[in-house]
Amino acid sequence: MASAASRPRTTGSGSERRPLPWPARLLAMLCAFTFMVAFAVVLARLTLQPSPASEALTHSNLQPGSSLKAYLDQPELRDAFKQIGGNILLGIPFGILVPVVAPRTRGILRVLLLTAIVMLLVEFAQGALVTGRAFDIDDVILNTTGALIGYLLLGRRLSRAVHARKPRAGRAGKEPSADEV
């Protein structure tokens, strides 16, 4: 008879949940790390590049929803779509890559909290250090929403494929080990 440790781990529904073999996990983590570094470079270029021509137009926004309302009040819907959609798209890689690169950040709340902290730091840097840029709380909200979308669509599944969760005592559907019998 096989011991509990040698049996495949299953979820409550009976389907097997195994991580990828270690070479594939290593490759997945290296790819995720490479994409995260590339994303950080793109994020820095998009958000921390001075915009002297916009200096007279910039103002900080600490009131959630204020910038969103301004975007939606623009005469061209295309401009609102670019602003809102662009900020959401900037957050999606966080939701996908963070749980793969840093398995301790798995879980929706951890991913959202980490994304919000990083985006707050980016916004503070924009407002304090970059000409023609300003702090906008709506950008943080939209970026964090993007991370939520990325996590729900792909990040959670990728993380589970790359990093196996250790079984917890008292988990439903858990078979007793030889020591517990």
Side-chain angles (χ1 to χ4, degrees):
M1 183 171 186
S3 72
S6 65
R7 278 181 260 163
R9 204 165 49 95
T10 61
T11 61
S13 65
S15 64
E16 290 189 24
R17 243 185 40 194
R18 294 183 182 190
L20 296 171
W22 75 266
R25 289 188 356 229
L26 179 63
L27 181 61
M29 287 189 65
L30 287 172
C31 287
F33 181 76
T34 302
F35 285 123
M36 186 61 97
V37 169
F39 173 68
V41 170
V42 169
L43 180 67
R45 293 195 86 198
L46 288 173
T47 61
L48 300 176
Q49 195 166 7
S51 179
S54 302
E55 192 169 4
L57 305 172
T58 59
H59 64 283
S60 292
N61 172 33
L62 301 175
Q63 183 180 3
S66 178
S67 291
L68 291 174
K69 184 179 180 321
Y71 297 152
L72 294 172
D73 286 344
Q74 293 179 10
E76 290 289 327
L77 185 61
R78 181 187 69 221
D79 294 335
F81 184 76
K82 281 173 45 180
Q83 287 291 331
I84 295 169
N87 277 304
I88 289 173
L89 284 175
L90 276 177
I92 289 175
F94 268 86
I96 296 171
L97 298 173
V98 164
V100 175
V101 173
R104 289 187 177 199
T105 62
R106 282 195 311 187
I108 198 164
L109 293 178
R110 289 179 181 172
V111 169
L112 294 179
L113 181 63
L114 182 62
T115 301
I117 290 169
V118 169
M119 294 308 176
L120 276 168
L121 291 172
V122 168
E123 289 295 320
F124 282 132
Q126 276 185 318
L129 305 173
V130 184
T131 304
R133 302 279 185 170
F135 178 89
D136 191 339
I137 194 67
D138 287 336
D139 288 354
V140 175
I141 293 167
L142 291 169
N143 297 149
T144 305
T145 301
L148 173 65
I149 292 167
Y151 180 79
L152 292 175
L153 290 178
L154 196 55
R156 178 177 45 190
R157 280 185 227 125
L158 278 177
S159 177
R160 287 179 180 167
V162 175
H163 307 289
R165 283 192 187 257
K166 294 180 179 149
R168 289 187 242 162
R171 187 178 232 176
K174 179 184 175 257
E175 295 176 345
S177 69
D179 297 336
E180 294 173 331
V181 176

